[in-house]
Amino acid sequence: MRRSAISGFAKKAREFLGEEGVLQEEVDLLVYEQDGTLALRGKADVVVFPRTVQEMAKVVELAYNYGIPIIGRGSGTSLSGGGVPVTGGVIVSTARMNKILEIDLENEVAVVQAGVINDWINAYLARMGYQYAIDLGFQYMADPGSQRVSTIGGNIAHNSGGVKCFKYGVTVNQLRGLTIVLPTGEVRRIGGKEFEQAGYDLIGLITGSEGTLALVAEAIVRIVPTYESSVTILAKFADLPTAGRAVSAVIASGAMPVAMELMDKLAVEAVESGPYAAGLPKDAEAVLLIQVEGSLPGAKEEASKVAEVLRRSGASGVEIVEDPARAAKIWAARKQAFGAMGFVGPNYVVEDGTIPRKKLAEALMLARAAGAKRGLRVANVFHAGDGNLHPLILYDERKPGEREKAIEAGEEILEACVELGGTITGEHGVGYMKKKLLPKMYRREEIELMKAIKAVFDPKGLMNPGKIFP
Ligand SMILES: Cc1cc2nc3c(=O)[nH]c(=O)nc-3n(C[C@H](O)[C@H](O)[C@H](O)COP(=O)(O)OP(=O)(O)OC[C@H]3O[C@@H](n4cnc5c(N)ncnc54)[C@H](O)[C@@H]3O)c2cc1C
């Protein structure tokens, strides 16, 4: 039944998407078996590439009528297995929906198709002195860390964040309007260019819903004038708990950094072993990277105050980085930290949990212990300002059982995050990898309420099945 439904679907989709708009060959489908989640695979039956809202609507309607699962796909950088077709079905790729449709400076918004790459908006706006609101327009300093690859549609589906969320908030805070395609193929426009909307917050509902309610076809995103200057501060610490306490001290001082990132010794070793080495101190147990912004004199003054707080909080060294080229190099090193893990271990599982900031040190020690008791090393690179941890559990998939141990350690770390008063995801979504942990965070009634909302949008359960709900 499924086989004939797929061939019927593919034949009809080719009529309006063209030969190149529908992939069915084994070798082509292989590319879509995985995303950024190295520990998970799943096989799609067909991949389609609409170019417009109308084509996306037609293709979704067709799949819905045939009863085929529908999985949205941006650039496939999800770290929770969000876009992996675990039940098979049709992948709707936004790779050809890659146009910036309008820049409206009066309303300070950009209208973009879902497949536009996050960083393209900045590249386009740079000459106008504007930037995507979540972004500083500073190369390697845009959010999320995957901004040069990931799509706006994917960012919306996961409600992505990044280093600057401490000041600017996450993706949902940058959205004014969305064009979505419901599972039936009906198109709905929600929000608009204006600031305030009455009634239920439908943008908030769709954002972070991981493609389980509807597909995002277009978005109206906030843009803001680019800040005049920014200054980077680099501090090193002899132990993790002191670094954790220094983060809280900076915030309590009333300073408002745009970014506060922490890297532990193993993470520093990884980046300093590769092409993005930036002279980060390898002898430190923890390195804190902070950025402040404003007019140049204002940013410099703020940087001096922050440096003083760090010294008083026990930093063993503090440097205010005046040279913009060196600052860019330091942030590039931070941004490349995940990729650099290859220098210290062949494979890794990256987790994404949050904890109340004052529990930072405790959570980091628990993360290390969860790895150590299974004979695995854990590196930490994370958004310290908003208590968003990213433990990277290193393993070697050539050694039988290590992958499973790494996944187990990751789950133990996320459970510890919840016990410390945090969550199982700060920005990477629940996806497939963390769905069994959802009951650790929510009561049964709350999960039932979420499922009831899904049923309103997707009564046949065809949108990204197998994700979020255990
Ligand atoms: C090196 C690296 C660094 C990263 N850094 C960060 C970071 O700093 N912050 C952060 O939050 N994340 C980060 N990520 C995770 C990832 O980049 C984000 O989750 C990103 O938003 C995914 O975008 P994508 O285009 O790759 O989406 P995909 O991986 O293709 O899809 C992600 C999810 O969105 C759904 N989806 C995709 N497009 C649509 C659409 N148009 N409509 C509805 N659903 C859709 C998919 O089904 C899937 O569930 C990082 C990943 C890597 C590999």
Side-chain angles (χ1 to χ4, degrees):
M1 158 61 194
R2 174 79 165 259
R3 231 181 156 75
S4 69
I6 297 289
S7 18
F9 165 85
K11 186 164 175 282
K12 288 194 177 146
R14 275 197 184 90
E15 287 168 14
F16 57 94
L17 296 179
E19 276 301 317
E20 71 288 0
V22 181
L23 297 182
Q24 258 186 306
E25 295 290 330
E26 279 287 302
V27 63
D28 293 325
L29 297 180
L30 207 58
V31 178
Y32 298 87
E33 276 189 12
Q34 270 191 294
D35 59 14
T37 321
L38 304 181
L40 181 70
R41 277 169 190 262
K43 198 162 182 182
D45 295 291
V46 54
V47 185
V48 294
F49 300 86
R51 287 160 289 208
T52 59
V53 179
Q54 293 72 23
E55 285 186 356
M56 186 187 254
K58 266 171 94 171
V59 93
V60 168
E61 181 185 5
L62 203 54
Y64 185 78
N65 289 341
Y66 273 108
I68 304 170
I70 299 156
I71 303 109
R73 177 101 173 183
S75 296
T77 64
S78 168
L79 295 172
S80 57
V84 176
V86 287
T87 59
V90 52
I91 286 187
V92 180
S93 163
T94 54
R96 293 204 293 182
M97 295 179 71
N98 57 5
K99 312 229 167 12
I100 295 176
L101 300 170
E102 187 191 345
I103 300 292
D104 179 344
L105 291 185
E106 205 176 315
N107 283 303
E108 296 196 315
V109 292
V111 184
V112 300
Q113 285 189 306
V116 164
I117 303 296
N118 178 300
D119 204 31
W120 291 356
I121 308 179
N122 292 318
Y124 192 82
L125 289 173
R127 63 201 155 93
M128 300 173 205
Y130 271 78
Q131 63 193 35
Y132 176 37
I134 200 169
D135 198 292
L136 285 177
F138 179 18
Q139 203 191 3
Y140 299 119
M141 200 30 208
D143 283 338
S146 56
Q147 92 274 6
R148 284 185 291 164
V149 194
S150 66
T151 63
I152 290 293
N155 296 173
I156 293 168
H158 274 336
N159 194 15
S160 295
V163 296
K164 291 174 300 161
C165 295
F166 180 53
K167 181 163 184 177
Y168 289 104
V170 288
T171 299
V172 72
N173 305 112
Q174 322 306 333
L175 299 173
R176 292 267 187 86
L178 293 177
T179 301
I180 57 169
V181 175
L182 299 175
T184 50
E186 292 161 276
V187 175
R188 294 284 179 271
R189 294 184 200 277
I190 51 181
K193 289 180 175 178
E194 306 74 31
F195 238 119
E196 295 299 333
Q197 304 290 333
Y200 294 153
D201 179 4
L202 294 178
I203 294 177
L205 182 60
I206 296 298
T207 309
S209 66
E210 307 192 22
T212 61
L213 301 180
L215 290 187
V216 175
E218 289 174 7
I220 304 175
V221 301
R222 287 176 61 208
I223 57 174
V224 292
T226 310
Y227 258 96
E228 194 188 316
S229 299
S230 60
V231 177
T232 293
I233 304 134
L234 176 67
K236 59 178 191 169
F237 294 85
D239 60 83
L240 274 171
T242 308
R245 283 193 293 272
V247 171
S248 299
V250 169
I251 294 163
S253 75
M256 192 58 198
V258 65
M260 283 222 264
E261 295 287 300
L262 216 150
M263 295 169 75
D264 70 4
K265 196 179 177 70
L266 187 53
V268 170
E269 183 190 327
V271 291
E272 288 300 316
S273 307
Y276 286 94
L280 297 178
K282 285 200 271 186
D283 58 336
E285 278 301 317
V287 170
L288 192 54
L289 305 175
I290 299 183
Q291 189 175 64
V292 293
E293 65 183 8
S295 64
L296 189 56
K300 279 187 170 174
E301 197 186 321
E302 176 101 330
S304 307
K305 281 188 198 156
V306 169
E308 191 41 44
V309 176
L310 292 169
R311 282 188 200 101
R312 280 203 311 268
S313 307
S316 52
V318 181
E319 179 191 352
I320 297 181
V321 183
E322 300 270 356
D323 175 14
R326 174 152 155 71
K329 219 170 160 188
I330 287 172
W331 286 106
R334 157 62 189 92
K335 290 281 178 171
Q336 298 299 329
F338 287 10
M341 284 301 139
F343 290 103
V344 288
N347 306 89
Y348 66 81
V349 167
V350 58
E351 286 300 356
D352 157 51
T354 69
I355 35 109
R357 247 182 339 245
K358 60 177 190 291
K359 303 275 178 70
L360 213 53
E362 201 178 329
L364 292 172
M365 302 320 281
L366 283 169
R368 274 197 180 169
K373 77 179 187 208
R374 295 172 175 88
L376 303 174
R377 291 184 303 162
V378 178
N380 281 290
V381 184
F382 60 95
H383 312 310
D386 38 10
N388 186 186
L389 303 183
H390 288 325
L392 295 131
I393 305 135
L394 304 178
Y395 69 96
D396 184 343
E397 74 178 2
R398 294 164 299 187
K399 296 187 182 158
E402 274 214 349
R403 177 179 159 277
E404 290 70 23
K405 279 190 203 164
I407 293 174
E408 206 180 87
E411 288 171 0
E412 185 177 315
I413 294 169
L414 292 181
E415 283 180 35
C417 287
V418 175
E419 274 155 33
L420 292 172
T423 66
I424 57 166
T425 172
E427 55 182 21
H428 295 171
V430 179
Y432 181 85
M433 299 303 285
K434 287 187 265 187
K435 62 180 185 170
K436 78 173 191 208
L437 295 174
L438 205 68
K440 301 268 171 207
M441 263 196 76
Y442 295 108
R443 290 188 298 273
R444 195 175 50 80
E445 314 84 90
E446 290 171 292
I447 295 177
E448 289 309 317
L449 190 57
M450 289 188 216
K451 283 186 174 169
I453 293 171
K454 176 164 167 69
V456 170
F457 280 80
D458 179 24
K460 288 194 194 173
L462 291 177
M463 299 302 288
N464 208 2
K467 309 294 164 58
I468 300 186
F469 300 108

